[in-house]
Amino acid sequence: MEKLFTLEEQQRKFLLAQQSFKDGDYHIAEPLFRLVIESAFQHEDYDMYVSAMVWLERILINTSRMSEVYPYIILVNPLIEKYGYEEIKERHELSCIIFNAYNRIGQPQEAYKKLLCEVSAKGYTDLICTVANNLMYYFVDIGEHQEGLRLYYQMKSLYEDNTTISRMARYMFWIYSFELLYLNKDYEECQRILIWLKERDIIVDSFYFMYPICQALLEMRIGSIDQALIYFDDGLAQTVDLMSIKFELNLLIDVLKENERYKDVIKYQSILIDLLNEHYDFENSSERTTIIQNFSRQFYESQLYVDQLTKVQNRNFYEDLLKKQQQVKNYTLFVLDIDRFKLINDTYGHAVGDEAIKFVADRLKSWNPKHDISIVRYGGDEFIGLIPYGYEVVEEDIKELHNLLMQTPFEVADIEAFPLSVSIGIAHTEESYQLIDQLFRVADAAIYEAKVRRGQVVVKEIK
């Protein structure tokens, strides 16, 4: 099949898309990233494939198309560790945090702060600014303007002194700073920001609408309400997605009420009501119903715990379980992995290695003798079995599982079938309470013993 671009052309398109993104020219950046994704897939250039998808994630977020973001997050998640370089991993993590915040999943504030610390330690200036901007916006959105102001003063000198930061990052920093200062009634500093933006020519075309809207909010407080409404209407006319200015529209209406401009209150409340009705109609439409079925909070949360290669539980699931530090008794935990797995990868390639992992996972899923056993892919070819029963209850079942895996030939296209050897380390507790983490450590030690001779099962009881 004829390739869309040569690798050299693909690289040039990618760099142009990146620069267009940083300049806020999304109408140029988006189609270029989509073309690069297709080209990279044709070339099996998965590093570029992942990078372009992560940049596209951000365009979709910045243009309020959250329902389109989710498939990219799910597609990138299993690839990012292998094909993403360090900075692109951080960018993808930021997309996940923003998406989670939008869907009220997890603790976004803590996640933002943790990521900001990580990128600051690595010195990624533009990414530091991007993460900080999103955290500032989050503070505006949840009404924590004092927290936001602390971040503003922390970041301010970096933005004033560093001209290498992308135009888009600089513009959005000052817009979010304006809103935080406005909420703090520091109108003098708000005015200074608007003048500074104009003088430095930092205003970004795709988000130009925010500038006259900020002008309007300030004018309402220090100047003429009539002039403020002219500014606000200018911003409204430029806004593609009115939901993106719902917060500012409410601020405007509050000031109009304070000044008893009831005709104007009715006008802008009507816009707000239409906006909310449109949102409500979408919430109740068949389109929304379809999205919710595939894209509900519960479904997304469940996907966070699913390994994309094998469809068993992933390490996130196990580590969340550890955070709860449950003490258990009459409990069995096994660690299982494939013997000489590196040799399989080296001899047949990573694609066959992945098939071997899926082969084991499929047998583990079909084996489950009890409905409440959890199978976790811990990483690579290593699996954990979490069994809320004493060892004597499941001893024969585990032996059957081991025999099944040892005796079933592994078959994959174009390669002669061969048997896989697996080792299992088991830890169990009967009447004494133990932490799951302790059981894992004992089982992990047991599997090292099992792998000395390979294909063995080693059992240890914690008393």
Side-chain angles (χ1 to χ4, degrees):
M1 184 176 71
E2 187 178 350
K3 301 289 194 294
L4 191 61
F5 302 126
T6 65
L7 287 171
E8 293 76 15
E9 289 170 335
Q10 175 184 286
Q11 181 65 19
R12 285 198 297 272
K13 299 289 185 188
F14 178 71
L15 292 175
L16 177 58
Q18 268 189 322
Q19 190 55 53
S20 299
F21 174 92
K22 291 177 179 180
D23 290 341
D25 297 327
Y26 293 166
H27 64 290
I28 297 172
E30 181 174 346
L32 282 173
F33 279 130
R34 291 189 184 278
L35 288 171
V36 169
I37 290 167
E38 185 177 345
S39 171
F41 187 77
Q42 289 174 344
H43 284 288
E44 298 185 2
D45 181 359
Y46 295 118
D47 292 357
M48 178 63 77
Y49 180 67
V50 166
S51 294
M53 282 198 289
V54 169
W55 283 95
L56 182 58
E57 283 174 351
R58 195 52 207 262
I59 290 178
L60 297 173
I61 286 169
N62 287 2
T63 52
S64 304
R65 288 180 282 167
M66 285 297 181
S67 62
E68 295 178 49
V69 177
Y70 174 69
Y72 286 96
I73 288 177
I74 291 300
L75 196 56
V76 170
N77 276 346
L79 302 174
I80 193 75
E81 281 303 317
K82 187 171 182 180
Y83 299 110
Y85 61 92
E86 203 60 41
E87 188 174 347
I88 212 69
K89 289 177 184 176
E90 312 284 9
R91 289 189 181 278
H92 177 63
E93 177 66 19
L94 178 59
S95 294
C96 292
I97 295 169
I98 296 167
F99 185 83
N100 289 347
Y102 179 83
N103 287 283
R104 299 179 299 283
I105 296 170
Q107 302 295 325
Q109 188 174 148
E110 287 75 7
Y112 276 127
K113 288 180 176 178
K114 180 173 178 288
L115 184 58
L116 184 56
C117 285
E118 289 172 359
V119 298
S120 298
K122 293 170 185 173
Y124 300 147
T125 303
D126 202 60
L127 193 49
I128 292 167
C129 296
T130 303
V131 176
N133 284 359
N134 281 276
L135 181 53
M136 286 173 66
Y137 175 77
Y138 181 75
F139 285 136
V140 170
D141 193 46
I142 64 173
E144 295 279 352
H145 63 273
Q146 291 302 325
E147 282 283 332
L149 283 170
R150 275 191 281 276
L151 183 57
Y152 161 68
Y153 289 116
Q154 178 187 330
M155 299 294 299
K156 182 181 174 185
S157 61
L158 178 62
Y159 279 93
E160 287 178 332
D161 301 337
N162 193 331
T163 56
T164 64
I165 299 168
S166 72
R167 193 172 173 215
M168 184 69 184
R170 283 185 287 158
Y171 179 57
M172 296 316 296
F173 171 79
W174 292 112
I175 291 295
Y176 298 148
S177 299
F178 174 96
E179 294 191 332
L180 288 164
L181 291 160
Y182 180 87
L183 291 170
N184 202 45
K185 300 182 180 178
D186 189 346
Y187 304 130
E188 186 176 334
E189 188 67 7
C190 287
Q191 189 170 34
R192 192 190 72 80
I193 286 173
L194 293 181
I195 293 169
W196 197 85
L197 283 173
K198 199 82 166 179
E199 287 177 348
R200 300 294 179 97
D201 192 28
I202 294 173
I203 300 168
V204 172
D205 288 346
S206 55
F207 285 85
Y208 165 78
F209 64 90
M210 287 303 303
Y211 186 83
I213 283 173
C214 289
Q215 280 184 302
L217 293 174
L218 182 60
E219 187 71 19
M220 294 283 277
R221 291 300 187 185
I222 66 171
S224 158
I225 290 180
D226 290 330
Q227 182 60 50
L229 296 181
I230 292 170
Y231 288 144
F232 201 89
D233 287 345
D234 179 26
L236 273 179
Q238 308 274 347
T239 306
V240 176
D241 176 19
L242 289 178
M243 281 299 289
S244 64
I245 60 161
K246 180 168 67 73
F247 174 77
E248 293 78 12
L249 192 53
N250 274 306
L251 290 178
L252 179 86
I253 291 168
D254 288 343
V255 180
L256 289 172
K257 286 178 180 176
E258 288 173 22
N259 287 273
E260 300 182 353
R261 297 282 295 250
Y262 295 120
K263 264 191 178 178
D264 294 316
V265 169
I266 290 168
K267 172 187 171 181
Y268 291 100
Q269 274 190 336
S270 297
I271 294 170
L272 184 61
I273 289 167
D274 288 344
L275 169 64
L276 294 175
N277 280 340
E278 186 178 316
H279 184 65
Y280 178 80
D281 288 343
F282 175 66
E283 289 285 331
N284 291 280
S285 67
S286 57
E287 179 189 1
R288 177 64 172 170
T289 303
T290 303
I291 290 171
I292 286 293
Q293 287 171 347
N294 299 300
F295 175 52
S296 65
R297 178 180 174 186
Q298 291 78 12
F299 175 75
Y300 179 66
E301 286 176 325
S302 72
Q303 290 301 296
L304 290 176
Y305 295 130
V306 173
D307 177 65
Q308 295 303 304
L309 177 66
T310 62
K311 305 306 179 189
V312 300
Q313 308 280 30
N314 64 14
R315 190 164 178 165
N316 290 338
F317 170 85
Y318 177 70
E319 289 183 348
D320 273 9
L321 190 65
L322 287 191
K323 284 175 190 173
K324 297 169 187 172
Q325 283 293 288
Q326 294 174 320
Q327 286 201 322
V328 293
K329 68 175 184 176
N330 296 316
Y331 202 96
T332 304
L333 184 149
F334 70 72
V335 177
L336 175 153
D337 72 13
I338 302 170
D339 296 324
R340 295 192 174 116
F341 181 68
K342 185 176 184 301
L343 183 61
I344 295 172
N345 271 338
D346 292 346
T347 305
Y348 302 107
H350 288 282
V352 173
D354 284 350
E355 289 301 319
I357 291 168
K358 287 162 66 177
F359 173 86
V360 171
D362 287 344
R363 269 105 203 120
L364 285 167
K365 285 186 287 187
S366 61
W367 162 74
N368 261 355
K370 305 283 185 184
H371 75 280
D372 46 359
I373 292 176
S374 295
I375 301 297
V376 177
R377 183 185 176 204
Y378 189 68
D381 61 314
E382 189 170 47
F383 293 86
I384 300 172
L386 302 167
I387 307 174
Y389 298 94
Y391 180 60
E392 74 284 351
V393 177
V394 292
E395 180 178 3
E396 292 305 315
D397 294 312
I398 294 175
K399 286 178 181 175
E400 285 177 19
L401 169 66
H402 187 247
N403 290 334
L404 173 71
L405 288 167
M406 295 287 286
Q407 295 169 11
T408 306
F410 169 54
E411 298 180 8
V412 65
D414 302 324
I415 294 174
E416 186 176 344
F418 60 89
L420 290 177
S421 173
V422 299
S423 296
I424 302 178
I426 300 171
H428 66 98
T429 179
E430 300 307 322
E431 293 304 316
S432 66
Y433 281 97
Q434 299 290 338
L435 293 172
I436 290 175
D437 187 40
Q438 178 62 20
L439 283 164
F440 171 76
R441 279 185 249 169
V442 173
D444 202 38
I447 198 172
Y448 277 102
E449 290 184 29
K451 289 182 78 67
V452 171
R453 288 182 294 157
R454 297 190 179 89
Q456 303 297 306
V457 177
V458 172
V459 183
K460 293 181 181 288
E461 180 181 356
I462 305 178
K463 295 184 179 178

